[in-house]
Amino acid sequence: MDFILQGIYEAFHLLLTGDEETYFAIKSTIYTSSIAIMITLFIGMPLGFCLGYYNFRGRKVLRLISDTGLAMPTVAIGLILYALLSYRGPLGSFGLLFTLKAVIIGQICLSLPIVISLTASAIENMDKKHMLLLKSYHLSGLESVKAVLFENRYSLMVVVASAYGRIVAEVGVAMMIGGNIKWFTRTITTAISLETNKGEFAMGIALAFVLIAIAFLVNLSIVGLKRFDR
């Protein structure tokens, strides 16, 4: 018990004194996850909307592929990306392996199926009466899209929170294609894994606090947006 209390005390000391190594991992995580979620939303939201709103040939197959991506082990995704980005792989000439750009690519691959599938589900599960009411207004194509997105705004906020939570807390892909290189590609999760294995609980606990705080702030912002909307 004493080592846990000592670890918590040292964790607060690291955070309050601005320990450079701790804050580098925090900055790397915020940097990579923020870029990854913006790219993912830009690509995934329209695809998820089309998958949930329109009925076309091959829709079920695409939905099955997207849903399968939800259950893909992170280690498997990391292995595939490692093979593609390694110096012997087809994308090796770009020199992306063991860089933060590779971590961003990995985070996009992880979060894209989440955004596509959950967005499609949110659109599909929209109240049928509500959908018929919107169609009765004879809105234009773009107006219909805006109306449907507005009616599902709370569900879409949860989609964003779920995807962001997945990539912030991810460790397998970041470890495999990021390399967990100190002062270069080390993120919160890879640092926690490394420091815990070394028996350095203080930094691990400090970074875990930060992860929990990020998750709390994301959910708090959603609650705040809901109240603001009312």
Side-chain angles (χ1 to χ4, degrees):
M1 187 67 185
D2 290 342
F3 81 97
I4 296 176
L5 295 175
Q6 181 66 25
I8 294 173
Y9 171 78
E10 292 179 9
F12 278 107
H13 179 75
L14 289 173
L15 290 173
L16 294 176
T17 57
D19 179 71
E20 290 187 11
E21 189 174 346
T22 303
Y23 276 87
F24 180 84
I26 296 171
K27 289 177 184 176
S28 297
T29 300
I30 293 174
Y31 170 73
T32 56
S33 58
S34 297
I35 293 178
I37 195 65
M38 286 190 287
I39 296 173
T40 299
L41 293 178
F42 182 75
I43 300 171
M45 279 280 184
L47 293 177
F49 181 87
C50 293
L51 211 53
Y53 190 73
Y54 298 107
N55 194 11
F56 54 89
R57 180 180 289 184
R59 174 172 173 264
K60 290 183 178 178
V61 175
L62 292 174
R63 184 62 190 274
L64 179 63
I65 293 171
S66 178
D67 290 345
T68 302
L70 292 174
M72 278 283 283
T74 58
V75 175
I77 295 175
L79 181 63
I80 294 169
L81 289 175
Y82 183 90
L84 293 173
L85 300 177
S86 66
Y87 299 112
R88 292 183 295 173
L91 303 177
S93 59
F94 292 101
L96 294 171
L97 192 63
F98 302 142
T99 66
L100 287 180
K101 291 178 182 175
V103 177
I104 292 171
I105 292 171
Q107 290 175 333
I108 292 171
C109 292
L110 282 173
S111 55
L112 198 55
I114 297 174
V115 171
I116 293 174
S117 290
L118 296 188
T119 300
S121 295
I123 302 299
E124 285 174 347
N125 295 328
M126 185 178 173
D127 192 306
K128 300 299 180 187
K129 293 180 180 177
H130 215 150
M131 186 71 83
L132 291 173
L133 179 64
L134 288 176
K135 289 182 178 178
S136 70
Y137 292 149
H138 302 293
L139 301 172
S140 66
L142 184 59
E143 288 173 336
S144 296
V145 170
K146 287 180 179 177
V148 171
L149 290 177
F150 182 76
E151 292 300 327
N152 289 281
R153 59 193 180 282
Y154 297 136
S155 299
L156 297 178
M157 289 179 193
V158 175
V159 172
V160 176
S162 301
Y164 194 74
R166 174 71 185 271
I167 60 178
V168 165
E170 191 283 326
V171 62
V173 172
M175 188 75 80
M176 290 189 72
I177 59 177
N180 193 26
I181 303 170
K182 189 176 181 179
W183 304 117
F184 193 54
T185 60
R186 186 163 295 173
T187 62
I188 290 178
T189 51
T190 58
I192 289 175
S193 176
L194 178 69
E195 298 301 329
T196 303
N197 287 335
K198 288 164 55 181
E200 298 291 340
F201 294 105
M203 182 178 288
I205 292 173
L207 293 171
F209 281 149
V210 175
L211 266 186
I212 294 169
I214 291 173
F216 178 76
L217 288 173
V218 169
N219 286 286
L220 184 65
S221 62
I222 292 174
V223 173
L225 287 171
K226 287 181 179 179
R227 288 187 176 180
F228 178 76
D229 188 66
R230 290 173 186 167

